[in-house]
Amino acid sequence: MDDLLKSLTQPQREAVLHVDGPMLMLAGPGSGKTRVVTSRIVNLLHQGISAHQILALTFTNKAADEMKLRLARDVPDTNVWVGTFHRFAARLLRQHAVLVGLSENYTIYDTRDSRQALLQAIETLDFPITHATPEAIQHAISWAKNNLVTAEQYSATRGHELGSIVERVYPAYQKRLLECNAVDFDDLLLHTAMLLRENPELRSSLDQRYQYILVDEYQDTNLAQYAIVRALSIDYPNLSVTGDPDQSIYGWRGANLGNILEFEKDFANVKVVRLEENWRSTKSILVVADQLISNNTRRKHKELFTDNPQGSPVRLTCYTTQKTEAEGIAGQIAGAIHSGRRRPRDFAIFYRINALSRSLEFALRDLGVPYQMIHGLEFFQRKEIKDVLGYLQVVNNPRDDVALMRIINTPARAIGKKTVERLRAHAIRYGLSMLNAARESGLIESLNKRAAVAVAKFVAIIDFLGAVGPVDVEEILGHVLSQTAYRELFTESDDPQDQERLANIEELLTAARQFDEQNPGGGHFEEFLEQASLVNDTDDWETETDKVTLMTMHAAKGLEFPAVFVIAVEEGLLPHERSRHDPSQLEEERRLLFVAITRAEEELQLSLVKKREFRGQTKYVVPSSFLMELPREEMELIGAPLGGDELAEESWGDDADWNEAGDDGEVTFNVEEFAETPPPASSSTSSDLAATLTTAAEMVSEQAAELPQVSPDEFHQGMVVRHPEYGLGKIVALGGGSARRVATVDFASGARGKKFILNASALRPAT
């Protein structure tokens, strides 16, 4: 502990050594707050406080994982609970689901599935909705939940048309969610807050258990999250919150800046610690950030400072179009990589909205610069991933009608739209789930025999998967692919998109295997589904890979890079056009740019263009009003003066290691050596089995002793294999890891579902 304290500044030590009572830690960007929070947990443990009494809540899985790693390094084998608000709420609801009308195997709906449930709810109502989109209704319901307004409490303002619609739809939507034994993201927090409010004994017992609560990024909490941590800090008000009002950028998600600004009003004798020393950025970058954010009024004043070098000036660069902007940035990056001055991983490019990334992708690809786009939510939003996981959702929660309607005819099995409508009508009439309605398909008079048989076959697949037992997630996913032949939709196709879908399925199997290794024993696919549902924006960011990172400014929160480019600092984009007439939203847009600037460690470029093609239109650009708030006399201006009639194309400075771009943005050096080589696609398909069949006599004659040893890790789902007794077969499922890896194989000879421990079997690849 003494060694740990010696490495901290005086304010950091104050925060770490604080034990009892509430504390507000105002932590500027790059001030080492994660280190301070984890060090404080170490100190609490050092003081003899039980790990079970400590609760650490974060906003992203990546932040939680970083804290866990640091704690494991400083205090091995500690079991302090560290995780996101939503994971904590989901865990609490699993234990007390019955108190809110759910079963513990409830499903967490993502935004798309929530919208499907909303549309189903609207169908049950007798009035047409013509003056509001489902998206607007969904957003209004989300706002209500974030502000602890239940369906029973919601009341529309007189004359507010959308509110009148929501007043009728919200209760129907909640009823539909309960019928499906499901929650949306907002419900996780709302249900938990209501649990604590309406069950005093439960609240008291949890307050007794979690006597020391630490909340990171407190400026981003909404009213529901505030209610949860406040309810758990009544008897033991040892609540420590960390945050920075200047980095509150999630108001559109319901974040309430007042939670951190008014923290000192909630508790008596609050200890306030200010972490103002920045360890991340150069002086040049910090002075630009500080002058920008000083224009906000709703904040707590901090004096940001750093002992880091002055560094190179922040560049403000004007380009002609987004094409030359993208090519110019790509040229700088390629030149720095080519000279050996930087690696691809050193660079990040930020933009306000994802739609701005397209020209950057083209430019980087043309120069052979490896890059990755960060939008972790998208992997689990891909159709093939939602299709495969849909089967697990129905097996885990048979009342999940949204998932069932997704998979009932996926892959196509002759169950058409009219058949689904008749099943739905039967379910509504008799108060059944869609799965139970499907079980009665033979009794539904409106279904012809062909349709009833097709539905019965689908039910048989679900029943088979349900009877597999408590196996690993990778294994149950293998059975899903085998029973549905879903993989075969893509394995025999030469379409690059189909090959990408196949690669995504393989990635899902890899994710399942990694989950199984962390959660041994099988039967944990409920937790896997929950983990897949609660993915954060940066969860797919490969921190160890050597690629340029492209991401939105919102996703960049909490990250840092040696060199950062912020594009399209233009009126209407940054600040966004929606903030034009709302001072509070305008301040949030300014905070967003502040966050983007303070991600940079050594180099920063802000850029805008003269004209930009956006949403099908070419428009002349107005420079962002934020640019007028920067200390431009201390910055390097490249291009024509802001507001000038012409924008000159400039070289990229005097650094000989950087290439120069011509008028058309073309870079003249050879960058072929930097191009990525894509991994070879798997050559094993379902057709291999038929193509390589030999006679039974030839198969049986082979002896296991004659076959070379093969690592269990070389086997994969769908692989064609050979066994000396059973002959040729295909792996339909894999489970377990290392020495205990097990394969389930269906053989051409008729033997099905045979299991083999790969390390101890005679099973070998067929080729």
Side-chain angles (χ1 to χ4, degrees):
M1 197 66 208
D2 289 340
D3 290 339
L4 186 151
L5 292 173
K6 287 178 182 177
S7 64
L8 302 176
T9 65
Q10 181 58 34
Q12 289 176 332
R13 279 196 294 273
E14 284 184 38
V16 168
L17 293 174
H18 179 77
V19 177
D20 293 320
M23 180 173 70
L24 169 62
M25 185 163 66
L26 294 170
S31 60
K33 68 179 177 64
T34 302
R35 181 187 183 195
V36 173
V37 172
T38 52
S39 296
R40 182 164 184 266
I41 295 175
V42 172
N43 183 56
L44 292 175
L45 295 170
H46 184 72
Q47 297 295 325
I49 295 166
S50 169
H52 291 288
Q53 294 179 308
I54 302 172
L55 172 65
L57 297 172
T58 70
F59 271 79
T60 67
N61 297 320
K62 190 166 291 296
D65 290 342
E66 183 180 351
M67 282 192 188
K68 290 175 185 176
L69 285 173
R70 294 191 183 206
L71 280 174
R73 180 195 62 200
D74 295 335
V75 189
D77 302 320
T78 185
N79 53 358
V80 173
W81 200 93
V82 181
T84 66
F85 267 98
H86 286 86
R87 286 190 186 278
F88 174 71
R91 186 176 90 162
L92 207 59
L93 279 183
R94 296 279 179 210
Q95 298 169 354
H96 306 285
V98 66
L99 296 177
V100 295
L102 296 166
S103 300
E104 64 179 14
N105 62 331
Y106 66 81
T107 300
I108 302 172
Y109 282 166
D110 61 22
T111 302
R112 292 185 185 178
D113 288 344
S114 298
R115 190 165 299 164
Q116 289 302 311
L118 179 68
L119 293 173
Q120 292 173 13
I122 291 173
E123 287 176 5
T124 65
L125 301 173
D126 295 330
F127 72 100
I129 297 176
T130 57
H131 300 291
T133 64
E135 292 80 7
I137 297 171
Q138 188 175 29
H139 184 269
I141 292 174
S142 176
W143 179 92
K145 291 182 177 183
N146 285 331
N147 287 278
L148 298 180
V149 179
T150 65
E152 294 76 22
Q153 296 169 333
Y154 190 94
S155 178
T157 303
R158 178 176 294 182
H160 193 280
E161 190 168 15
L162 175 60
S164 299
I165 294 172
V166 173
E167 188 173 351
R168 297 190 64 176
V169 173
Y170 187 4
Y173 171 62
Q174 285 305 103
K175 181 174 181 287
R176 186 71 192 122
L177 288 176
L178 290 175
E179 289 172 348
C180 293
N181 190 32
V183 299
D184 59 25
F185 289 147
D186 301 315
D187 276 333
L188 288 172
L189 302 176
L190 176 63
H191 283 321
T192 301
M194 293 297 105
L195 267 178
L196 297 172
R197 175 190 291 180
E198 297 171 0
N199 298 273
E201 291 185 1
L202 174 62
R203 187 215 64 75
S204 179
S205 67
L206 290 170
D207 197 339
Q208 168 75 25
R209 173 173 179 181
Y210 299 115
Q211 295 185 19
Y212 294 86
I213 300 177
L214 303 91
V215 180
D216 192 18
E217 305 288 4
Y218 191 65
Q219 77 279 349
D220 292 327
T221 54
N222 59 30
L223 186 58
Q225 289 161 327
Y226 166 84
I228 292 169
V229 296
R230 190 69 184 90
L232 296 178
S233 307
I234 295 174
D235 305 325
Y236 297 88
N238 304 315
L239 174 62
S240 169
V241 302
T242 303
D244 180 5
D246 291 340
Q247 297 185 68
S248 179
I249 59 174
Y250 294 112
W252 52 279
R253 288 183 182 174
N256 187 346
L257 184 58
N259 290 350
I260 190 167
L261 293 177
E262 299 176 10
F263 182 79
E264 293 152 281
K265 297 179 182 179
D266 285 339
F267 295 91
N269 303 316
V270 174
K271 182 178 181 62
V272 179
V273 178
R274 283 178 165 80
L275 303 184
E276 298 170 311
E277 182 171 1
N278 180 288
W279 304 87
R280 176 188 299 151
S281 304
T282 62
K283 287 184 174 70
S284 294
I285 293 170
L286 203 60
V287 71
V288 170
D290 204 24
Q291 184 154 326
L292 171 72
I293 203 62
S294 67
N295 289 275
N296 273 9
T297 58
R298 295 194 71 204
R299 60 191 300 254
K300 284 183 176 288
H301 180 69
K302 296 186 303 299
E303 292 288 346
L304 298 181
F305 68 93
T306 182
D307 284 336
N308 288 339
Q310 183 69 31
S312 56
V314 173
R315 296 190 302 277
L316 175 55
T317 306
C318 302
Y319 296 93
T320 309
T321 65
Q322 74 257 37
K323 183 174 185 290
T324 54
E325 178 183 49
E327 290 172 344
I329 291 170
Q332 290 190 62
I333 293 172
I337 295 170
H338 181 66
S339 69
R341 197 173 69 84
R342 290 223 181 268
R343 299 180 64 90
R345 69 172 63 175
D346 293 338
F347 293 98
I349 308 174
F350 301 152
Y351 31 80
R352 177 62 176 83
I353 55 176
N354 278 310
L356 295 172
S357 69
R358 185 177 178 86
S359 56
L360 293 165
E361 293 181 75
F362 284 138
L364 292 169
R365 198 178 301 138
D366 285 346
L367 293 181
V369 176
Y371 68 90
Q372 58 176 333
M373 293 187 64
I374 307 304
H375 28 51
L377 297 174
E378 291 197 1
F379 178 78
F380 288 99
Q381 293 296 315
R382 293 179 174 121
K383 182 181 184 302
E384 58 273 14
I385 302 302
K386 289 182 70 69
D387 288 346
V388 174
L389 291 183
Y391 284 89
L392 260 65
Q393 289 174 314
V394 173
V395 171
N396 180 60
N397 175 16
R399 289 160 52 192
D400 188 347
D401 288 356
V402 170
L404 184 136
M405 292 176 73
R406 164 176 284 278
I407 65 175
I408 193 169
N409 196 44
T410 305
R413 49 176 64 91
I415 301 177
K417 184 177 179 180
K418 288 188 176 181
T419 298
V420 173
E421 290 174 351
R422 289 162 182 164
L423 285 174
R424 178 90 177 110
H426 184 78
I428 293 173
R429 181 178 181 183
Y430 293 101
L432 302 173
S433 68
M434 284 287 288
L435 182 59
N436 282 338
R439 294 188 189 283
E440 298 181 1
S441 60
L443 304 176
I444 301 175
E445 294 182 359
S446 58
L447 289 183
N448 60 40
K449 183 176 180 180
R450 180 173 175 272
V453 169
V455 172
K457 288 181 178 179
F458 166 74
V459 172
I461 292 174
I462 300 299
D463 288 344
F464 172 85
L465 295 172
V468 168
V471 297
D472 288 341
V473 176
E474 184 189 18
E475 184 171 346
I476 190 71
L477 287 176
H479 286 299
V480 168
L481 295 171
S482 174
Q483 290 294 310
T484 62
Y486 190 82
R487 181 198 294 268
E488 280 67 20
L489 294 176
F490 314 120
T491 53
E492 299 176 12
S493 170
D494 294 328
D495 187 331
Q497 289 189 340
D498 284 342
Q499 291 304 308
E500 182 178 346
R501 294 184 182 103
L502 184 61
N504 290 335
I505 292 172
E506 297 294 345
E507 182 62 27
L508 178 64
L509 291 169
T510 299
R513 182 179 180 184
Q514 292 170 348
F515 176 86
D516 291 332
E517 290 171 350
Q518 297 169 1
N519 301 271
H524 297 290
F525 58 87
E526 183 177 279
E527 293 96 317
F528 181 77
L529 289 171
E530 180 177 300
Q531 180 173 296
S533 298
L534 299 179
V535 169
N536 295 137
D537 291 335
T538 56
D539 282 359
D540 68 340
W541 182 36
E542 299 178 19
T543 55
E544 301 304 317
T545 191
D546 201 12
K547 298 179 181 179
V548 175
T549 297
L550 277 64
M551 57 169 46
T552 65
M553 297 178 189
H554 284 98
K557 178 79 172 292
L559 306 180
E560 56 188 36
F561 300 88
V564 167
F565 295 87
V566 182
I567 71 165
V569 189
E570 302 159 4
E571 205 71 11
L573 288 173
L574 186 67
H576 196 278
E577 59 186 358
R578 288 194 301 265
S579 67
R580 185 181 308 168
H581 304 297
D582 187 331
S584 64
Q585 289 190 24
L586 187 64
E587 288 209 348
E588 179 159 320
E589 291 289 302
R590 188 179 285 112
R591 292 194 295 267
L592 183 60
L593 180 56
F594 174 78
V595 166
I597 289 172
T598 54
R599 301 310 95 195
E601 297 174 334
E602 300 168 3
E603 295 182 64
L604 172 66
Q605 174 177 298
L606 310 177
S607 65
L608 70 160
V609 301
K610 180 178 180 180
K611 55 184 178 180
R612 185 176 298 277
E613 293 181 14
F614 187 62
R615 293 176 179 168
Q617 295 182 324
T618 300
K619 294 183 178 180
Y620 282 89
V621 164
V622 176
S624 170
S625 55
F626 296 154
L627 295 178
M628 310 311 163
E629 302 170 354
L630 303 182
R632 284 160 51 193
E633 67 280 358
E634 299 182 32
M635 300 168 65
E636 179 183 0
L637 305 183
I638 303 177
L642 292 180
D645 294 330
E646 298 294 334
L647 296 177
E649 293 299 320
E650 301 283 348
S651 71
W652 300 106
D654 298 327
D655 190 338
D657 289 337
W658 287 25
N659 62 286
E660 292 192 355
D663 290 341
D664 59 358
E666 181 180 359
V667 178
T668 57
F669 63 85
N670 183 358
V671 293
E672 290 182 1
E673 60 186 291
F674 299 105
E676 287 189 292
T677 303
S682 172
S683 59
S684 296
T685 68
S686 57
S687 62
D688 293 338
L689 184 57
T692 57
L693 280 176
T694 57
T695 65
E698 289 174 325
M699 290 189 288
V700 173
S701 66
E702 294 186 29
Q703 300 298 317
E706 299 174 359
L707 297 173
Q709 290 296 314
V710 178
S711 167
D713 293 336
E714 292 189 25
F715 292 89
H716 59 79
Q717 211 275 342
M719 175 183 275
V720 179
V721 292
R722 188 188 299 273
H723 189 272
E725 179 179 351
Y726 298 105
L728 282 177
K730 189 194 321 184
I731 295 177
V732 297
L734 285 164
S738 302
R740 302 298 299 174
R741 192 149 177 76
V742 175
T744 304
V745 183
D746 285 349
F747 289 98
S749 59
R752 304 182 68 81
K754 293 291 184 180
K755 292 182 179 288
F756 301 89
I757 298 176
L758 293 173
N759 250 353
S761 79
L763 204 66
R764 297 292 184 272
T767 55

